[in-house]
């Protein structure tokens, strides 16, 4: 007998996930207030296994028990209000899945509310945009309940596949799937900004749009590409009415908040994610351009494409390491036992940050103990070291030519700081102790003491 899933929400993601389930032989029961929307989707399906209801109680009653209901509605208010309504209709052992971009703490709260009612809950991060949802997204599941095998195989059937298998991660804790998705988005912000900065460097080097597009495209042959690099190559060369589209887009970047939540969460845990901070800040800063009486111009750069390639690699790897370190830290603090190779597999295909780099790092993990922290893997540090000289040349040239590269530079600074044998923070502690008696720790001592400075 075929399985059935109930889906609430018919936005871009909800509609495409519904069609994806339908294609994979899962009966889909939809809830939407608009009968027209439901009928449009039924018409689009190549199968005859989609049903729809405009009344929530009829929708719930139609689904066989234990019901599996997937929410594909905007995070926050919309998710909370539909969950509240569903609570009155669902029965013990039913399973509620939140597939929106919910903040992980909201998923923990919703999961706990479900638990009180004996309803199972899964917080499921979905990545891959419209095409991913339709043909294979990366799915990040978090639950404190056992996920039934039949549900897991339904979910796997719609997911993206990689050389290591389905891109479905199953993590312990109601909020952990959404936490992993949030970090995915933080890394996404930094990767996007690294490409924007590279675009700026190449523009200042007087490369034409076609040349820049070709440069990004060429990274594919060298196994240095990514989904974001590929779409950037397409975007930069796209013309309408003989004009490049990109040249007619306002350089003001918006966000829906997941990058900000990544930054806020890392600050709450006192954990550094500088490349992601800078990437988020770059979007904010783009709203405050040309604020001075005099407008300045970047000078011509004399770029070496090989060095830019290595700079992009370095900055992307540095960002990825920062993100993975935060996942390791969060996992230890919250006793979640998150396995990094599993996260890497989760992101190998379908999601927005899928890339050759992730494949490469996943392969490196194959040969080591999974308990090693990413910064204990020599091969990974060697990759950064190999590209370091080219990175320095690019940074020097950008400084000389007045090209802003906040994420590239911060990825470099983070590596230098986190690997260097000297850190000047002793002076910060001394200053704090000098003016405020905030105390210092002497080398090899645990105790905090106030020193006599005058
Ligand atoms: C994904 C994307 C997706 C979406 C972001 C956009 O993994 O499919 O990350 O979740 O693109 O919500 O986020 P911003 O509007 O904040 O850029």
């Amino acid at each position: 007998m075929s399985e059935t899933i109930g889906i609430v929400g018919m936005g871009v993601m909800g509609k495409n996930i519904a069609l994806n389930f339908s294609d994979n032989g899962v009966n889909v029961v939809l809830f939407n207030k608009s009968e027209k929307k439901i009928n449009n989707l039924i018409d689009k399906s190549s199968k005859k296994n989609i049903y729809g209801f405009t009344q929530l109680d009829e929708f719930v009653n139609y689904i066989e028990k234990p019901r599996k209901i997937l929410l594909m509605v905007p995070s926050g208010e919309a998710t909370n209000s539909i969950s509240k309504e569903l609570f009155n209709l669902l029965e013990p052992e039913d399973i509620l899945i939140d597939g929106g971009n919910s903040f992980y703490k909201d998923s923990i709260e919703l999961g706990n509310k479900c638990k009180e009612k004996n309803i199972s809950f899964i917080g499921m991060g979905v990545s891959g945009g419209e095409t991913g949802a339709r043909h294979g997204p990366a799915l990040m599941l978090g639950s404190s309940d056992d996920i039934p095998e039949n549900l897991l195989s339904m979910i796997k059937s719609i997911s993206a596949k990689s050389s290591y298998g389905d891109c479905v991660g199953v993590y312990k804790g109601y909020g952990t799937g959404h936490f992993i998705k949030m970090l995915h988005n933080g890394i996404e912000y930094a990767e996007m900004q690294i490409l924007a900065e590279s675009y700026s460097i190449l523009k200042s080097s007087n490369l034409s749009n076609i040349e820049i597009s070709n440069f990004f495209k060429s990274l594919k042959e060298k196994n240095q590409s990514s989904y974001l690099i590929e779409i950037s190559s397409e975007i930069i060369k796209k013309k309408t009415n003989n004009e490049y589209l990109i040249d007619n887009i306002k350089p003001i970047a918006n966000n829906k908040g997941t990058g900000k939540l990544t930054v806020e969460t890392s600050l709450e845990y006192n954990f550094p994610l500088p490349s992601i901070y800078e990437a988020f800040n770059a979007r904010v800063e783009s709203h405050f351009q040309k604020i001075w009486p005099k407008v300045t111009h970047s000078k011509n750069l004399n770029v070496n494409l090989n060095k830019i390639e290595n700079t992009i690699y370095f900055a992307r790897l540095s960002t990825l390491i920062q993100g993975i370190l935060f996942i390791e830290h969060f996992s230890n603090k919250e006793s979640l036992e998150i396995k990094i190779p599993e996260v890497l597999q989760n992101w190998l295909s379908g999601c927005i940050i899928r890339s050759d780099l992730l494949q490469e790092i996943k392969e490196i993990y194959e040969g080591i103990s999974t308990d090693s922290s990413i910064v204990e893997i020599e091969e990974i540090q060697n990759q950064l070291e190999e590209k370091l000289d080219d990175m320095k040349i690019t940074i020097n040239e950008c400084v000389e030519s007045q090209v802003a590269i906040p994420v590239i530079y911060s990825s470099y600074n983070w590596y230098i700081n986190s690997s260097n044998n000297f850190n000047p923070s002793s002076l910060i502690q001394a200053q704090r102790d000098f003016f405020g008696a905030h105390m210092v720790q002497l080398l090899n001592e645990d105790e905090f003491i106030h020193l006599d400075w005058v």
Side-chain angles (χ1 to χ4, degrees), residues 170-399:
V170 181
Y171 309 98
K172 198 168 89 179
Y174 292 131
T176 315
H178 279 132
F179 175 84
I180 298 290
K181 174 63 175 39
M182 181 182 78
L183 259 290
H184 165 284
N185 279 31
I187 294 169
E188 174 185 300
Y189 274 48
E191 293 240 3
M192 291 166 79
Q193 179 63 25
I194 290 164
L195 297 179
E197 290 170 16
S198 307
Y199 170 61
S200 178
I201 295 173
L202 296 169
K203 274 269 207 205
S204 300
S205 310
N206 285 328
L207 262 69
S208 68
N209 285 39
I210 293 293
E211 284 167 326
I212 300 174
S213 166
N214 285 343
F215 164 71
F216 282 135
K217 193 174 171 196
S218 73
L219 298 180
K220 180 130 191 127
E221 290 136 42
K222 301 175 177 176
N223 288 337
Q224 296 229 4
S225 196
S226 69
Y227 169 71
L228 287 168
I229 292 176
E230 282 169 26
I231 66 164
S232 302
S233 168
E234 294 300 316
I235 291 166
I236 290 164
K237 70 173 186 205
K238 178 78 185 162
K239 269 184 166 177
T240 45
N241 304 329
N242 239 4
E243 280 183 72
Y244 288 110
L245 264 183
I246 184 82
D247 295 341
N248 281 316
I249 295 177
K250 275 190 193 169
I252 299 176
N254 295 323
N255 76 91
K256 286 204 204 119
T258 46
K260 186 173 175 213
L261 289 172
T262 315
V263 170
E264 284 171 352
T265 306
S266 77
L267 292 176
E268 187 189 321
Y269 278 80
N270 269 320
F271 201 87
L273 285 181
S275 300
I276 297 175
Y277 303 163
E278 285 293 358
F280 176 67
N281 182 64
R283 291 198 191 186
V284 176
E285 239 178 66
S286 71
H287 290 252
F288 299 89
Q289 297 296 302
K290 300 195 183 105
I291 55 177
W292 295 92
K294 219 193 296 171
V295 175
T296 64
H297 297 272
S298 301
K299 295 177 196 137
N300 276 359
L301 257 160
N302 196 6
V303 86
N304 171 317
L305 290 181
N306 217 13
K307 293 189 170 41
I308 301 300
E309 187 182 312
N310 286 341
T311 299
I312 294 174
Y313 180 97
F314 185 108
R316 294 182 55 226
L317 180 54
S318 166
T319 300
L320 180 66
I321 297 169
Q322 293 168 39
I324 288 179
L325 277 177
F326 184 38
I327 296 175
E328 288 179 5
H329 179 77
F330 181 80
S331 172
N332 289 338
K333 283 266 170 211
E334 305 300 335
S335 310
L336 294 170
E337 295 159 18
I338 300 173
K339 301 268 178 277
I340 298 304
E342 229 175 278
V343 177
L344 295 170
Q345 176 171 338
N346 206 171
W347 292 345
L348 274 189
S349 184
C351 69
I352 303 296
I353 63 166
R354 62 187 186 261
S355 69
D356 293 330
L357 178 65
L358 280 168
Q359 178 81 25
E360 183 188 324
I361 304 301
K362 167 77 177 157
E363 277 162 22
I364 292 177
Y365 266 91
E366 286 305 287
I368 55 145
S369 143
T370 51
D371 292 335
S372 314
S373 164
I374 188 158
V375 285
E376 288 164 1
I377 306 173
E378 239 177 284
E379 211 177 325
I380 293 184
Q381 181 170 21
N382 291 345
Q383 291 293 347
L384 290 172
E385 284 286 327
E386 265 175 32
K387 279 50 180 204
L388 194 56
D389 283 346
D390 285 351
M391 180 79 169
K392 286 191 279 195
I393 291 170
T394 305
I395 291 171
N396 281 333
E397 286 184 356
C398 288
V399 170

